[in-house]
Amino acid sequence: MSLLNHPLTQHRILVPILVIVPIAYLASLPWLKASPDWLIFALGGVAVLIEVGGSFILFAQKDQKSDEWHRGATRFGTQWGWLVGAGIIPLLLVLPPFQSLVLSLATLTDPDAQLTERAALMTFLLGFGAVVVLQAIFTAVFSLVWRIWMSRAV
């Protein structure tokens, strides 16, 4: 049986897992702050592997069922969504509310007034997560824009 057709990788099971894993990791940060660094980063790495692997499986499943029109929307969305999603992070980092949000999330692991190495690494991890989330959002938006544009009456 192919991995793409395995019961655990079907939409009804895989999508809830991909939603629950990052929420569970973020919710466990207050508990994890008392844990050793290796455990925090190991669990973060496992969460990332689950998310990336699950995303690739979902993409492959969807691509198998797509025609050329949908694949064109996916290519356009990916090309521009990844670019805009990555490019918007530096712009957001200039805004004080976004800076406050990132620092407040980083201090979940280390509430001291000083930003320690542990908190700095967590901030970097959260920043990378923000890039990935924004790339996914903008990929979906640009794919939708392509579909609307290509479906218009000429």
Side-chain angles (χ1 to χ4, degrees), residues 8 45 84-85 112 127 134 153:
L8 289 178
V84 172
D112 296 338
L134 285 174

Side-chain angles (χ1 to χ4, degrees), residues 115-139:
L115 190 62
T116 63
E117 179 183 339
R118 184 181 195 183
L121 287 172
M122 184 53 71
T123 303
F124 185 79
L125 178 64
L126 291 170
F128 176 73
V131 169
V132 171
V133 167
L134 285 174
Q135 285 177 331
I137 289 169
F138 281 105
T139 296

Side-chain angles (χ1 to χ4, degrees), residues 3-151:
L3 179 62
L4 297 179
N5 298 324
H6 193 277
L8 289 178
T9 61
Q10 296 305 308
H11 256 142
R12 64 184 179 281
I13 296 173
L14 189 57
V15 170
I17 290 171
L18 295 178
V19 170
I20 291 169
V21 166
I23 292 170
Y25 182 75
L26 290 174
S28 68
L29 285 178
W31 169 76
L32 285 173
K33 69 181 175 187
S35 302
D37 289 349
W38 67 267
L39 181 62
I40 294 170
F41 293 113
L43 291 176
V46 168
V48 167
L49 287 175
I50 290 170
E51 292 299 309
V52 171
S55 297
F56 281 135
I57 290 169
L58 286 176
F59 175 77
Q61 288 174 341
K62 184 152 178 60
D63 192 55
Q64 281 182 338
K65 298 174 186 173
S66 296
D67 58 13
E68 276 305 309
W69 192 83
H70 289 95
R71 286 184 181 146
T74 301
R75 278 192 290 277
F76 181 82
T78 303
Q79 176 183 355
W80 293 104
W82 279 59
L83 179 67
V84 172
I88 204 162
I89 287 293
L91 297 175
L92 287 174
L93 285 172
V94 172
L95 302 174
F98 191 76
Q99 292 172 353
S100 298
L101 173 67
V102 170
L103 288 175
S104 66
L105 290 173
T107 57
L108 287 176
T109 59
D110 196 358
D112 296 338
Q114 292 182 344
L115 190 62
T116 63
E117 179 183 339
R118 184 181 195 183
L121 287 172
M122 184 53 71
T123 303
F124 185 79
L125 178 64
L126 291 170
F128 176 73
V131 169
V132 171
V133 167
L134 285 174
Q135 285 177 331
I137 289 169
F138 281 105
T139 296
V141 167
F142 279 106
S143 179
L144 180 64
V145 165
W146 187 91
R147 290 174 192 219
I148 291 169
W149 180 259
M150 296 305 281
S151 297

